[in-house]
């Protein structure tokens, strides 16, 4: 076994355990154990387990991004201090002061990439599991000979999950499905990044160099997906596509409910809360930083409409 294979062994064991668990569950409710949809849904189950396990990392990522927003003005001061200075001493001093700022504030500019980096071993592990199944190899864990054969021969709309465009050998169905997946992966990733940049960035963050770097990545990522669509088998691309959809939905909920202070999303959330409070009979007025809350009187009985006879009797009294 190679060094890379040794590193992937425990990851492959976990992947196989999760796949087999979902496969067993799906077959117990009546799905064909050899059908492609059964294995596709098993891969979806793998995504759900992995992404649920990464939620604490995602929360940590959000907190780190908030801290990066707080230090953005200080970071800009350091950059302005050494602006135009290209000598070695100035560059080292700028790098040293920047790292010291990150250390003091507990921030990490790479934290936004952490969830993706943690999933990369899953991609390669699933790729290795599919490759072993393609060559009729028994898995390292619960993927026995029968399950491995079923996984290797599983098809979705006539396209084997083990094939990629590079290994399709002219299979038009594989090429078409892979191309559609690439388009969906690119669109979902683009929408996710675009909603972060357009709605969840404050004015200070948009003026920082990090924002410009994010804009560059926004247009570079489609090239990454194009390469993955040519190289990765459909089974791995299924994992990546479903994971992108999870990220898009997760990011939408975060931006809607926990937006960055000072961003467009934060203003929209304040407007929604104000409308909701008005519907509840609460009027909020924000003056000079203070909030005055006026509520409707409680326990006030509504006066029932009176009939003509009853009104005459009350008037006589």
């Amino acid at each position: 076994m190679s060094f890379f294979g040794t590193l992937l062994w425990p990851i492959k064991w976990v992947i196989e355990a999760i796949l087999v668990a979902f496969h067993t569950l799906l077959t117990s409710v009546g799905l064909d154990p050899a059908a492609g949809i059964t294995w596709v849904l098993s891969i979806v189950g793998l995504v759900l387990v992995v992404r649920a396990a990464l939620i604490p990392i995602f929360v940590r990522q959000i907190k780190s991004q908030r801290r990066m927003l707080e230090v953005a003005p200080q970071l800009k001061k350091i950059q302005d201090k050494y602006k135009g200075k290209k000598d070695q001493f100035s560059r080292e001093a700028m790098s040293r002061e920047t790292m010291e700022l990150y250390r003091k504030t507990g921030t990490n500019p790479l934290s936004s990439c952490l969830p993706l980096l943690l999933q990369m071993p899953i991609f390669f592990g699933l790729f290795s599991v599919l490759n072993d199944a393609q060559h009729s190899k028994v898995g390292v864990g619960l993927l026995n000979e029968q399950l491995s054969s079923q996984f290797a021969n599983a098809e979705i709309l006539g396209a084997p999950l083990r094939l990629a465009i590079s290994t399709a050998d002219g299979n038009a169905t594989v090429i078409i499905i892979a191309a559609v997946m690439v388009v969906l992966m690119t669109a979902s990733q683009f929408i996710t990044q675009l909603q972060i940049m357009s709605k969840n960035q404050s004015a200070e963050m948009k003026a920082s160099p990090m924002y410009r770097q994010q804009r560059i990545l926004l247009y570079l990522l489609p090239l990454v997906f194009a390469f993955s669509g040519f190289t990765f088998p459909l089974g791995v691309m299924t994992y990546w596509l479903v994971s992108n959809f999870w990220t898009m939905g997760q990011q939408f909920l975060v931006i809607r409910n926990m937006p960055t202070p000072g961003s467009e999303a934060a203003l929209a959330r304040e407007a929604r809360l104000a409308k909701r409070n008005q519907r509840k009979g609460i009027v909020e007025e924000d003056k000079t930083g203070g909030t005055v809350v006026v509520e409707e009187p409680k326990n006030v009985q509504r006066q029932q409409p009176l009939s003509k006879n009853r009104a005459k009797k009350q008037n006589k009294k």
Side-chain angles (χ1 to χ4, degrees), residues 219-231:
Y219 298 101
L220 284 180
L221 283 174
L223 299 178
V224 176
F225 291 132
F227 172 78
S228 66
F230 182 78
T231 308

Side-chain angles (χ1 to χ4, degrees), residues 200-255:
N200 204 37
Q201 301 278 15
S202 65
E204 294 83 358
M205 194 63 182
K206 288 183 178 180
S208 68
M210 289 186 61
Y211 183 78
R212 291 192 291 272
Q213 293 173 6
Q214 287 180 339
R215 289 189 65 87
I216 294 173
L217 288 175
L218 183 65
Y219 298 101
L220 284 180
L221 283 174
L223 299 178
V224 176
F225 291 132
F227 172 78
S228 66
F230 182 78
T231 308
F232 289 164
L234 296 181
V236 177
M237 290 183 65
T238 300
Y239 178 95
W240 202 336
L241 178 60
V242 177
S243 183
N244 272 13
F245 286 152
W246 174 292
T247 301
M248 186 169 62
Q250 184 174 251
Q251 195 65 59
F252 174 80
L253 293 176
V254 168
I255 292 176

Side-chain angles (χ1 to χ4, degrees), residues 59-185:
V59 173
R60 185 177 176 181
Q61 171 194 357
I62 293 175
K63 292 180 179 179
S64 180
Q65 288 175 339
R66 294 286 193 271
R67 288 195 294 267
M68 284 296 297
L69 178 63
E70 294 172 0
V71 303
Q74 303 175 54
L75 186 61
K76 192 173 186 304
K77 287 181 181 179
I78 295 175
Q79 293 168 345
D80 291 341
K81 178 180 177 182
Y82 295 97
K83 187 176 181 180
K85 298 179 180 180
K86 298 182 179 180
D87 58 284
Q88 185 68 21
F89 178 80
S90 297
R91 284 185 293 179
E92 290 179 356
M94 178 179 170
S95 177
R96 194 163 49 248
E97 291 184 25
T98 301
M99 295 307 297
E100 181 64 18
L101 176 63
Y102 289 153
R103 187 188 65 80
K104 287 182 178 180
T105 56
T107 54
N108 185 354
L110 297 178
S111 61
S112 59
C113 302
L114 193 58
L116 179 60
L117 292 176
L118 290 177
Q119 286 192 87
M120 291 308 295
I122 305 295
F123 296 145
F124 290 116
L126 185 57
F127 181 92
S128 182
V129 169
L130 281 166
N131 188 59
D132 290 347
Q134 181 181 359
H135 293 89
S136 302
K137 292 183 181 179
V138 179
V140 299
L142 301 181
L143 201 66
N144 57 34
E145 185 177 355
Q146 180 183 4
L147 293 174
S148 180
S149 176
Q150 290 176 355
F151 197 19
N153 296 315
E155 297 181 351
I156 183 70
L157 301 178
L161 296 178
R162 69 179 186 276
L163 296 183
I165 293 179
S166 59
T167 58
D169 292 329
N171 189 323
T173 306
V174 173
I175 296 173
I176 292 172
I177 292 178
V180 171
M181 282 186 170
V182 168
V183 171
L184 292 176
M185 288 162 63

